[in-house]
Amino acid sequence: MKKEKDKNQSFMNGFLADYVLTRRSFMKKASATTGTAVALGGLRPTFKALAAAGGDSAGEMGEWIASTCQGCTSWCSKQVYVIDGRAVKVRGNPNSKVNVGAGCPRSHLGLQQVYDPDRIKIPMKRTNPKKGRNEDPKFVAISWDEALNTIADQIMELRKNNETYKYMLMRGRYSYMRDVLYDRMTKIIGSPNNISHSAICAEAEKFGPYYTEGYWNYRQYDVTNARYILIWGADPLAANRQVSYYSKVWGDAISGAKIAVVEPRLSATAAKADEWLPVQPGQDGALAAAIAHTILVEGLWYKEFVGDFSDGQNRFVPGAEVDEETFEEKHTNGVVKWWNLELKDKAVEWAAERTGLTPEQIRRVAVEYGNAAPHAISWVGGGPVMQVRGGYTSMICHALNGLTGAVDNVGGTLASNKEYTEHFPKPDDFMDEIAKKGKKHEKIDHRGRKEFPAINSGKPGSAVITNNAADGILNEDPNEIKVAIAYMNNFAFSCGQPERWERALSKIPFLVHITTNASEFSWFADILLPDAHHMFEKWGYVKSIGNGYRHVTLMQPVIKPMWEAKIDETEIPWLIAEKLNERGFSNLLDHYKTYIDPETGKEPTNAQEFALYSLKYATQNLWDPAKHKGGDKFNGWNDFLKAGVWNSDPYPFRKRWSNMKTKTKKFEFFSETLKEALEKHAETHGTTVDDILETCYYQARGEQAFIPHYEEPYTAGDEAQYPFVFVDHKSRLNREGRSANCTWYYDFKDLDPGDANWDDVAKINPVDAVKIGLKTGDAIRITSPSGSITCTAKLWEGVRPGTVAKCFGQGHWVYGRLAAKEFGKVPRGGNNNDLIPAVYDRLSGSTVRHAATRVKIEKV
Ligand code: SF4
């Protein structure tokens, strides 16, 4: 291992060689700073400093300062212990009612990230004009001034030529300061092309809740009051939302509720559950249909929410149609239609044939789950829904919450509490004719085309199709992209078939990447800008829900920025705006100057003031006592800053019953809301809903299109050639894929059940391994129709026979001396996305990563 690290060190030194020659004075400063980081342990921090920060009090050496973690999408409020300007420890912020002082294992890796000696330290520019994976970019250091002047010149060139729609902004991890750069800057320059990462996250998860209960967002779950928790392809103790909170209360949840986990792999949560249902990948919808069927046949639906037959006699008899007139619904719409169109024939035996589970287990889970109503959660994660037909699986799994009356109920599934942050000032008055014209062009990701309905919140063409933007760029369809800025994203690693992104990014003549580390995406950039770390160096805020509350938690620079890092969403756009102003285009700067400090009434005069004032502007309703609307009350900005977090009022249970944002205001088993959206999309394209569904690879026809229903999985690869279904999963230690240069990631990798420290393993059931002659430790190649990777075989009973499971996160060929085996050349382990084809759940725009492909495994 040491040899490998030394080898990579020399590659990194090569990567920075020109920078050493051209920036001697900076190197002096940087090496001094790096020295301090190394004193803290560098790649292997010692725990001495951390010991000093033990206990609850601030102690004599330093102080706890509030901030926020974005190591995953839980967005926990944190406190950082700072000694002499050094961050040495993180813990949960006890002031948050969402994560209630809790943290998770991966939060601590933030310390290794911020002091990572392989961070981008200063702006750099590419000197090799050729772009490609095998082309060393030959980056050299430049000043911020040179970097910003170059960027401004490129943008002005587009404006001069009336080509502003050829500008693109790509967004990865963001805070709610995002609109400064993502929305306002893109609009004022004059482009429609602000492309977020959302569709590679879990958008299909939102599809089911929206088209049943009118809620397009992630849910929170009242686990401590639940009596049954049925979890679909989510791993709340490792990698879903509110990992800190659920880890803290899971003991109580287990005491009060039965827990069943549906997933082909034994996850961290499944290992502690009462039932593990190792479903055949892609067959979750069959299981959900059988559970719904059983609940209705057994008369276990929650009558207070759904209603009942007028005469009290249960007519849900297997195979028999029911007269709609005989049922009086309360807070739902279309339960009998749902039965007649979908459920009446979906008995447990039917589901057992498809899911590979036994009829006994399916019946037992269905009955126990139904008996627990209304405190019976159906928790829908990414597993069953980030699939080609996942939108409908999202609907049918979530619809179980309607049957059991768990929606908006104690011990059930909850929406978001109210919060009162403000939008930034509107950009309209600062958009000139060039901008208005440019903005009208079609977006590069093709949303809204016939084959991409992408229906966010009932509006066709409103959801992003992140991964398809690569094809838009490659094919110059609808137009070429000439200038692009991206921040905290790594689409060349984190999207299915990332090789397409390598070719697409190579095609963009001028690409800027704002990033903490030189990632696969950075390799194709013309300018690299060093980004501030979200937890330690940035002003910002995020919102999150959990535990029946919503919090708005602040990020603040708890230490001075390392090296020359600047804040992506505020400081950098301000600096670009200044440069555009120098070139005669003042609109962006004029707009930013309207973000006035609410305390002093002053307009910002520099990037640092802008970063702070814009945050105070957005959060004023939370900290200004004169503007208080609800939740925690503060005496002013400093009071809020010290606490670090605002908490909402507690959750108002059952307030949305018959007051949902659906067409009928009810929980829709027959979705009038989806019907309207699909018909609108069909009408726009002069065709029928059936034609749209066929074009988009769905099986539903007629009225089935508007109900939660089962669709067969759509998986690439012929079974004879590719005998295993590939199962991708996430790690307890992946900080959104940015853990790859942290030693602790590898030291503790076996926190993920079945995984091994300092290795990248594919988990294969011993029954299968014997058949193909594999043993633990064998080097293997896994191949799908769209790519191949190499890694290590691990025989493990915790994976369903016929599948192979591998954790996402390794396989970087850049990012740092530890992340790659040989920086710029040889990956460490394999990137799961190399196996996964670029396919979509076209109704939500989501990228597919589950039940996506079959693979074959060979010894190498
Ligand atoms: S990594 Fe996620 S769960 Fe852990 S502290 Fe950070 S935001 Fe919270």
Side-chain angles (χ1 to χ4, degrees):
M1 184 55 59
K2 184 176 177 312
K3 223 167 146 190
E4 264 182 28
K5 277 188 205 159
D6 290 348
K7 198 157 91 183
N8 265 347
Q9 175 67 76
S10 70
F11 270 97
M12 289 300 292
N13 287 343
F15 184 71
L16 296 176
D18 289 317
Y19 142 77
V20 173
L21 288 172
T22 53
R23 297 279 295 185
R24 284 190 186 284
S25 59
F26 170 76
M27 271 309 284
K28 244 169 124 184
K29 182 174 138 201
S31 61
T33 323
T34 310
T36 320
V38 170
L40 271 179
L43 280 174
R44 282 190 178 275
T46 71
F47 281 88
K48 274 188 200 160
L50 308 189
D56 288 334
S57 68
E60 290 170 13
M61 295 178 70
E63 59 176 332
W64 289 103
I65 306 175
S67 194
T68 295
C69 180
Q70 288 193 300
C72 71
T73 41
S74 299
W75 295 351
C76 298
S77 191
K78 307 299 287 187
Q79 291 179 330
V80 181
Y81 196 71
V82 179
I83 302 175
D84 199 17
R86 293 272 137 194
V88 297
K89 188 174 179 177
V90 295
R91 69 178 184 188
N93 186 345
N95 298 320
S96 165
K97 291 180 181 167
V98 170
N99 60 285
V100 282
C104 82
R106 98 185 113 228
S107 61
H108 305 290
L109 273 62
L111 289 165
Q112 288 199 322
Q113 289 178 319
V114 70
Y115 294 121
D116 181 352
D118 295 343
R119 277 180 70 176
I120 301 287
K121 300 178 177 70
I122 54 174
M124 304 183 95
K125 77 174 176 192
R126 174 183 210 94
T127 57
N128 179 1
K130 285 195 201 147
K131 292 183 180 179
R133 177 140 171 189
N134 296 320
E135 294 291 343
D136 184 338
K138 296 198 167 59
F139 285 115
V140 299
I142 53 173
S143 65
W144 269 100
D145 211 40
E146 183 181 344
L148 294 162
N149 279 327
T150 313
I151 295 166
D153 283 343
Q154 292 284 341
I155 294 171
M156 290 307 291
E157 187 69 12
L158 292 181
R159 285 193 53 84
K160 192 178 89 192
N161 297 325
N162 273 315
E163 290 184 325
T164 53
Y165 55 93
K166 295 182 180 175
Y167 168 82
M168 179 178 184
L169 189 283
M170 285 172 266
R171 183 186 91 192
R173 174 48 54 223
Y174 63 91
S175 78
Y176 284 94
M177 308 303 287
R178 63 191 180 186
D179 281 345
V180 172
L181 171 66
Y182 173 75
D183 183 87
R184 305 306 193 258
M185 180 164 140
T186 312
K187 281 180 178 158
I188 290 170
I189 288 171
S191 173
N193 287 316
N194 48 356
I195 301 295
S196 82
H197 77 287
S198 299
I200 60 169
C201 185
E203 287 299 275
E205 254 192 53
K206 302 173 185 170
F207 190 86
Y210 186 80
Y211 290 105
T212 51
E213 57 165 303
Y215 176 67
W216 186 275
N217 210 335
Y218 300 107
R219 284 74 56 213
Q220 51 179 326
Y221 301 102
D222 187 16
V223 295
T224 53
N225 290 308
R227 296 291 165 265
Y228 205 103
I229 306 173
L230 176 58
I231 301 175
W232 303 87
D235 195 0
L237 300 184
N240 200 245
R241 280 161 182 81
Q242 286 320 321
V243 174
S244 298
Y245 168 68
Y246 293 124
S247 299
K248 183 179 172 111
V249 300
W250 210 245
D252 295 338
I254 286 173
S255 304
K258 270 209 164 181
I259 298 176
V261 176
V262 184
E263 183 162 340
R265 162 196 75 106
L266 187 78
S267 63
T269 309
K272 295 179 190 299
D274 298 281
E275 299 261 5
W276 173 38
L277 296 101
V279 68
Q280 178 67 25
Q283 295 288 1
D284 310 73
L287 179 59
I291 291 174
H293 170 100
T294 307
I295 286 173
L296 291 174
V297 169
E298 299 291 331
L300 300 177
W301 71 92
Y302 190 58
K303 319 267 180 325
E304 251 187 76
F305 186 67
V306 183
D308 201 355
F309 289 97
S310 337
D311 59 5
Q313 186 197 328
N314 186 2
R315 291 177 179 77
F316 293 124
V317 176
E321 288 231 352
V322 172
D323 179 356
E324 288 181 42
E325 298 301 315
T326 59
F327 198 96
E328 286 177 18
E329 269 186 286
K330 282 192 171 170
H331 303 288
T332 63
N333 177 67
V335 68
V336 175
K337 255 195 178 147
W338 188 27
W339 169 264
N340 289 339
L341 285 166
E342 172 68 10
L343 298 178
K344 68 178 168 24
D345 301 317
K346 302 292 191 301
V348 294
E349 292 76 15
W350 171 88
E353 278 171 27
R354 285 155 184 81
T355 57
L357 305 170
T358 64
E360 293 73 30
Q361 188 180 30
I362 299 173
R363 183 172 293 108
R364 182 175 64 244
V365 168
V367 169
E368 290 180 358
Y369 172 71
N371 272 325
H375 313 297
I377 295 168
S378 177
W379 179 320
V380 188
V385 304
M386 296 299 281
Q387 302 190 9
V388 174
R389 294 162 173 160
Y392 284 116
T393 315
S394 178
M395 276 181 91
I396 196 164
C397 293
H398 188 73
L400 296 176
N401 291 304
L403 276 189
T404 57
V407 184
D408 222 34
N409 208 347
V410 176
T413 167
L414 315 179
S416 301
N417 308 56
K418 266 195 181 167
E419 59 85 19
Y420 308 100
T421 53
E422 278 288 350
H423 292 299
F424 293 119
K426 285 198 172 10
D428 307 48
D429 292 346
F430 300 87
M431 289 172 69
D432 60 13
E433 283 312 308
I434 297 175
K436 282 180 190 157
K437 218 170 132 206
K439 167 87 178 52
K440 282 192 184 138
H441 279 250
E442 188 190 357
K443 285 184 186 263
I444 197 76
D445 62 352
H446 302 171
R447 69 185 77 170
R449 288 189 182 180
K450 181 184 170 188
E451 66 276 21
F452 281 115
I455 317 170
N456 175 339
S457 303
K459 294 184 270 312
S462 56
V464 65
I465 311 157
T466 312
N467 203 11
N468 200 49
D471 293 294
I473 298 167
L474 269 172
N475 301 324
E476 300 187 7
D477 177 15
N479 52 258
E480 67 174 326
I481 294 295
K482 281 188 169 174
V483 176
I485 299 178
Y487 77 101
M488 286 312 279
N489 68 326
N490 191 9
F491 297 163
F493 184 86
S494 52
C495 288
Q497 264 183 284
E499 172 274 337
R500 293 156 44 259
W501 277 99
E502 293 176 13
R503 285 184 289 123
L505 297 177
S506 300
K507 223 173 134 64
I508 299 176
F510 185 73
L511 174 65
V512 179
H513 199 206
I514 307 168
T515 181
T516 54
N517 286 63
S519 71
E520 284 73 10
F521 192 99
S522 312
W523 195 254
F524 304 90
D526 296 273
I527 300 259
L528 295 182
L529 298 178
D531 200 357
H533 191 284
H534 64 265
M535 188 156 48
F536 306 97
E537 300 170 327
K538 174 172 177 170
W539 286 115
Y541 78 96
V542 290
K543 309 178 250 188
S544 193
I545 52 172
N547 191 29
Y549 288 92
R550 191 174 210 172
H551 70 199
V552 175
T553 169
L554 289 175
M555 301 153 167
Q556 60 175 315
V558 299
I559 60 169
K560 279 195 190 136
M562 297 295 292
W563 301 291
E564 292 190 21
K566 294 197 189 297
I567 302 173
D568 42 25
E569 290 170 323
T570 48
E571 289 183 343
I572 292 174
W574 172 278
L575 292 167
I576 293 172
E578 282 185 336
K579 293 294 183 186
L580 293 175
N581 183 45
E582 284 171 16
R583 285 156 178 76
F585 178 57
S586 68
N587 296 20
L588 188 59
L589 192 64
D590 291 343
H591 170 71
Y592 288 160
K593 282 182 179 171
T594 64
Y595 297 38
I596 302 233
D597 181 353
E599 275 191 312
T600 62
K602 283 186 188 160
E603 67 179 35
T605 59
N606 58 46
Q608 291 79 12
E609 284 179 2
F610 180 61
L612 180 59
Y613 294 179
S614 51
L615 176 60
K616 288 168 79 175
Y617 181 99
T619 57
Q620 186 185 2
N621 292 339
L622 310 184
W623 54 261
D624 183 344
K627 297 230 166 197
H628 183 255
K629 294 182 174 173
D632 290 353
K633 195 166 182 182
F634 296 98
N635 287 325
W637 169 253
N638 286 335
D639 198 19
F640 180 37
L641 192 58
K642 195 160 178 253
V645 61
W646 169 93
N647 298 289
S648 70
D649 292 317
Y651 195 81
F653 291 104
R654 299 186 180 208
K655 274 272 163 60
R656 294 191 306 120
W657 284 18
S658 285
N659 192 27
M660 293 176 170
K661 288 187 176 156
T662 54
K663 286 283 292 170
T664 60
K665 294 197 182 300
K666 311 268 185 185
F667 187 96
E668 296 184 340
F669 296 122
F670 185 90
S671 181
E672 296 289 353
T673 311
L674 181 55
K675 185 167 186 270
E676 184 180 71
L678 281 174
E679 284 176 349
K680 203 162 151 192
H681 185 66
E683 198 184 307
T684 304
H685 296 281
T687 187
T688 62
V689 170
D690 279 2
D691 181 39
I692 295 291
L693 292 176
E694 188 174 354
T695 306
C696 298
Y697 304 99
Y698 298 97
Q699 295 177 304
R701 298 292 181 268
E703 288 200 304
Q704 203 187 22
F706 316 129
I707 56 165
H709 68 271
Y710 166 72
E711 300 238 340
E712 287 168 17
Y714 187 98
T715 305
D718 171 59
E719 189 169 355
Q721 195 183 349
Y722 301 101
F724 298 95
V725 179
F726 186 68
V727 174
D728 170 89
H729 68 91
K730 309 301 178 221
S731 167
R732 267 183 163 169
L733 293 175
N734 274 2
R735 289 183 60 82
E736 301 218 307
R738 284 184 266 276
S739 306
N741 212 40
C742 302
T743 53
W744 293 339
Y745 180 59
Y746 302 98
D747 282 339
F748 301 107
K749 192 72 188 68
D750 61 356
L751 275 176
D752 295 314
D755 274 14
N757 295 339
W758 290 97
D759 206 347
D760 193 19
V761 302
K763 288 154 286 195
I764 304 159
N765 193 288
V767 172
D768 291 327
V770 168
K771 284 187 208 154
I772 54 174
L774 286 181
K775 59 181 190 317
T776 293
D778 284 345
I780 53 171
R781 175 178 298 111
I782 308 179
T783 306
S784 76
S786 49
S788 83
I789 59 171
T790 52
C791 59
T792 306
K794 172 83 185 286
L795 274 54
W796 191 51
E797 293 84 357
V799 62
R800 181 185 173 80
T803 68
V804 51
K806 190 172 164 297
C807 190
F808 173 75
Q810 298 187 58
H812 283 279
W813 46 275
V814 283
Y815 209 81
R817 73 193 74 183
L818 195 62
K821 208 162 187 181
E822 206 176 313
F823 189 87
K825 294 192 173 162
V826 184
R828 176 182 299 285
N831 179 5
N832 289 3
N833 281 326
D834 285 335
L835 300 173
I836 297 175
V839 287
Y840 308 89
D841 168 49
R842 289 161 185 257
L843 288 181
S844 63
S846 295
T847 283
V848 165
R849 56 170 183 266
H850 301 290
T853 188
R854 295 188 149 274
V855 295
K856 64 180 176 187
I857 306 170
E858 300 156 297
K859 236 191 229 187
V860 289

